[in-house]
Amino acid sequence: MARAVILLHGLFRTGLSMLPMEWALRRSGYTKVLTPTTGHHLHEIPASAQKLAQTVQRLHDEYGAVDAVTHSTGGLLARAIMPLAPLRRVVMLAPPNHGAQAAELAREMLPVHRLASWDPLAKLLPGATAELPMGPAEIGIITGGTGDEGGFNSRLEGDNDQTVRVEEARLDSALEFAVVPVRHTFVMAHAEVQAMTVHFMEHGRFHP
């Protein structure tokens, strides 16, 4: 049966960053795999969501169902798409669902928001709002951590993947939540993460 999936990358990245996950999904049997490049730092999430929702709807009309895999800020984009177009299953990799303390620290080191109206990190600050998931989509979340309070970045509070804290990735509506020993930047290329993602897309859970 033909299947379609859309991959949404993170901040300051392009669709190319999702290629390792794309290859894994193609091997698992996906017929249509889209990896669009979205300028998170140039466009507001609602505007990008409106545009991508049209793409998701077209895929849904053609294939009957559309899945999504996201990395980091791409998870916030998927949340904004869900009320606008039907997604079947979504795996979020290291999503800052509650904002990210790392964004606050980055602003302190490089306060570009004080020099101009351009503030690409505003949407990622702790407490920043994002559309809550709506509709029938089943959500699974995989994030990185060391399994202890130190995490990969000692400047962040609690376990973390060097950029997103484990607690920042959680979402009450998620069916599955898992922490793997991998850093934020490389989570989509991790073999175990790829296997868990494929299994969730097929069965709605990460493991048998």
Side-chain angles (χ1 to χ4, degrees):
M1 182 179 68
R3 295 190 296 165
V5 61
I6 186 168
L7 279 59
L8 304 175
H9 63 84
L11 187 67
F12 300 128
R13 312 286 296 267
T14 71
L16 291 175
S17 67
M18 300 299 284
L19 275 178
M21 183 60 71
E22 176 183 345
W23 296 331
L25 292 169
R26 287 190 183 279
R27 289 194 299 268
S28 76
Y30 277 93
T31 308
K32 186 72 171 180
V33 183
L34 289 185
T35 56
T37 291
T38 304
H40 295 298
H41 56 294
L42 299 175
H43 310 290
E44 293 298 323
I45 285 177
S48 297
Q50 288 281 350
K51 183 176 180 179
L52 285 172
Q54 298 174 17
T55 300
V56 171
Q57 187 63 58
R58 286 196 297 270
L59 290 173
H60 183 271
D61 294 342
E62 182 176 355
Y63 292 92
V66 185
D67 297 323
V69 181
T70 73
H71 176 235
S72 195
T73 313
L76 304 187
L77 182 55
R79 288 171 57 174
I81 291 172
M82 287 179 203
L84 305 175
L87 289 171
R88 185 184 72 114
R89 287 179 176 147
V90 179
V91 172
M92 297 180 177
L93 307 178
N97 278 317
H98 299 278
Q101 184 185 16
E104 203 167 47
L105 295 176
R107 261 177 140 215
E108 292 175 2
M109 292 188 296
L110 191 64
V112 294
H113 61 289
R114 296 179 183 172
L115 304 177
S117 58
W118 184 67
D119 188 4
L121 297 177
K123 61 178 73 71
L124 299 176
L125 293 175
T129 59
E131 290 291 332
L132 291 175
M134 298 176 62
E138 298 179 352
I139 301 172
I141 297 173
I142 306 173
T143 196
T146 59
D148 56 49
E149 287 301 304
F152 285 107
N153 185 347
S154 61
R155 296 191 65 194
L156 301 180
E157 299 172 4
D159 200 4
N160 63 81
D161 66 358
Q162 199 167 30
T163 302
V164 174
R165 298 166 56 235
V166 169
E167 293 306 311
E168 292 169 341
R170 295 187 185 277
L171 200 60
D172 289 343
S173 57
L175 295 181
E176 293 271 274
F177 185 87
V179 180
V180 296
V182 60
R183 296 176 190 269
H184 186 84
T185 302
F186 307 110
V187 61
M188 74 290 286
H190 193 275
E192 181 183 0
V193 170
Q194 293 175 353
M196 292 166 66
T197 298
V198 168
H199 199 273
F200 186 88
M201 293 311 190
E202 294 176 351
H203 305 287
R205 56 186 184 274
F206 288 142
H207 301 287

